[in-house]
mmCIF file of all heavy atoms in Angstrom:
data_model
loop_
_atom_site.group_PDB
_atom_site.id
_atom_site.type_symbol
_atom_site.label_atom_id
_atom_site.label_comp_id
_atom_site.label_asym_id
_atom_site.label_seq_id
_atom_site.Cartn_x
_atom_site.Cartn_y
_atom_site.Cartn_z
ATOM 1 N N ALA A 36 0.895 13.856 -11.074
ATOM 2 C CA ALA A 36 1.638 13.724 -12.326
ATOM 3 C C ALA A 36 1.058 12.603 -13.205
ATOM 4 O O ALA A 36 0.894 12.756 -14.422
ATOM 5 C CB ALA A 36 3.115 13.467 -12.085
ATOM 6 N N GLY A 37 0.697 11.501 -12.553
ATOM 7 C CA GLY A 37 0.075 10.417 -13.276
ATOM 8 C C GLY A 37 -1.254 10.806 -13.923
ATOM 9 O O GLY A 37 -1.566 10.439 -15.037
ATOM 10 N N LEU A 38 -2.078 11.552 -13.128
ATOM 11 C CA LEU A 38 -3.367 12.028 -13.670
ATOM 12 C C LEU A 38 -3.131 12.918 -14.871
ATOM 13 O O LEU A 38 -3.878 12.841 -15.851
ATOM 14 C CB LEU A 38 -4.150 12.764 -12.580
ATOM 15 C CG LEU A 38 -4.796 11.920 -11.459
ATOM 16 C CD1 LEU A 38 -5.325 12.841 -10.352
ATOM 17 C CD2 LEU A 38 -5.886 11.067 -12.022
ATOM 18 N N VAL A 39 -2.136 13.806 -14.745
ATOM 19 C CA VAL A 39 -1.861 14.758 -15.832
ATOM 20 C C VAL A 39 -1.392 14.028 -17.136
ATOM 21 O O VAL A 39 -1.794 14.361 -18.209
ATOM 22 C CB VAL A 39 -0.824 15.800 -15.418
ATOM 23 C CG1 VAL A 39 -0.411 16.649 -16.589
ATOM 24 C CG2 VAL A 39 -1.385 16.697 -14.297
ATOM 25 N N LEU A 40 -0.538 13.021 -16.908
ATOM 26 C CA LEU A 40 0.004 12.265 -18.024
ATOM 27 C C LEU A 40 -0.925 11.160 -18.499
ATOM 28 O O LEU A 40 -0.647 10.515 -19.549
ATOM 29 C CB LEU A 40 1.347 11.645 -17.637
ATOM 30 C CG LEU A 40 2.495 12.630 -17.340
ATOM 31 C CD1 LEU A 40 3.683 11.887 -16.759
ATOM 32 C CD2 LEU A 40 2.872 13.372 -18.608
ATOM 33 N N GLY A 41 -1.989 10.885 -17.743
ATOM 34 C CA GLY A 41 -2.881 9.815 -18.032
ATOM 35 C C GLY A 41 -3.744 10.028 -19.273
ATOM 36 O O GLY A 41 -3.770 11.041 -19.883
ATOM 37 N N PRO A 42 -4.508 8.994 -19.608
ATOM 38 C CA PRO A 42 -5.340 9.013 -20.815
ATOM 39 C C PRO A 42 -6.539 10.020 -20.819
ATOM 40 O O PRO A 42 -7.182 10.140 -21.793
ATOM 41 C CB PRO A 42 -5.848 7.573 -20.926
ATOM 42 C CG PRO A 42 -5.773 7.021 -19.572
ATOM 43 C CD PRO A 42 -4.589 7.719 -18.912
ATOM 44 N N PHE A 43 -6.753 10.652 -19.651
ATOM 45 C CA PHE A 43 -7.859 11.606 -19.577
ATOM 46 C C PHE A 43 -7.362 13.054 -19.595
ATOM 47 O O PHE A 43 -8.153 13.950 -19.484
ATOM 48 C CB PHE A 43 -8.662 11.335 -18.321
ATOM 49 C CG PHE A 43 -9.247 9.976 -18.242
ATOM 50 C CD1 PHE A 43 -8.595 8.951 -17.528
ATOM 51 C CD2 PHE A 43 -10.383 9.650 -18.957
ATOM 52 C CE1 PHE A 43 -9.105 7.686 -17.481
ATOM 53 C CE2 PHE A 43 -10.890 8.347 -18.942
ATOM 54 C CZ PHE A 43 -10.263 7.385 -18.193
ATOM 55 N N CYS A 44 -6.038 13.227 -19.743
ATOM 56 C CA CYS A 44 -5.489 14.588 -19.784
ATOM 57 C C CYS A 44 -4.563 14.673 -21.017
ATOM 58 O O CYS A 44 -4.988 14.638 -22.161
ATOM 59 C CB CYS A 44 -4.798 14.906 -18.502
ATOM 60 S SG CYS A 44 -4.467 16.676 -18.291
ATOM 61 N N LEU A 45 -3.229 14.752 -20.763
ATOM 62 C CA LEU A 45 -2.298 14.846 -21.918
ATOM 63 C C LEU A 45 -2.344 13.615 -22.806
ATOM 64 O O LEU A 45 -2.171 13.707 -23.999
ATOM 65 C CB LEU A 45 -0.853 15.025 -21.389
ATOM 66 C CG LEU A 45 -0.552 16.383 -20.738
ATOM 67 C CD1 LEU A 45 0.887 16.411 -20.264
ATOM 68 C CD2 LEU A 45 -0.829 17.546 -21.689
ATOM 69 N N GLY A 46 -2.596 12.467 -22.188
ATOM 70 C CA GLY A 46 -2.672 11.227 -22.993
ATOM 71 C C GLY A 46 -3.799 11.298 -24.004
ATOM 72 O O GLY A 46 -3.714 10.595 -25.035
ATOM 73 N N ALA A 47 -4.855 12.076 -23.714
ATOM 74 C CA ALA A 47 -5.965 12.154 -24.656
ATOM 75 C C ALA A 47 -5.589 12.833 -25.953
ATOM 76 O O ALA A 47 -6.327 12.725 -26.910
ATOM 77 C CB ALA A 47 -7.117 12.918 -23.973
ATOM 78 N N LEU A 48 -4.480 13.564 -25.993
ATOM 79 C CA LEU A 48 -4.021 14.192 -27.182
ATOM 80 C C LEU A 48 -3.542 13.176 -28.244
ATOM 81 O O LEU A 48 -3.313 13.509 -29.411
ATOM 82 C CB LEU A 48 -2.911 15.218 -26.897
ATOM 83 C CG LEU A 48 -3.301 16.359 -25.957
ATOM 84 C CD1 LEU A 48 -2.076 17.230 -25.649
ATOM 85 C CD2 LEU A 48 -4.434 17.203 -26.556
ATOM 86 N N LYS A 49 -3.234 11.975 -27.737
ATOM 87 C CA LYS A 49 -2.819 10.867 -28.631
ATOM 88 C C LYS A 49 -1.449 11.113 -29.302
ATOM 89 O O LYS A 49 -1.185 10.683 -30.403
ATOM 90 C CB LYS A 49 -3.844 10.523 -29.699
ATOM 91 C CG LYS A 49 -5.214 10.178 -29.161
ATOM 92 C CD LYS A 49 -5.165 8.942 -28.306
ATOM 93 C CE LYS A 49 -6.586 8.546 -27.800
ATOM 94 N NZ LYS A 49 -6.594 7.395 -26.881
#
Side-chain angles (χ1 to χ4, degrees):
L38 286 171
V39 172
L40 294 171
F43 301 98
C44 195
L45 290 180
L48 299 176
K49 303 298 181 183

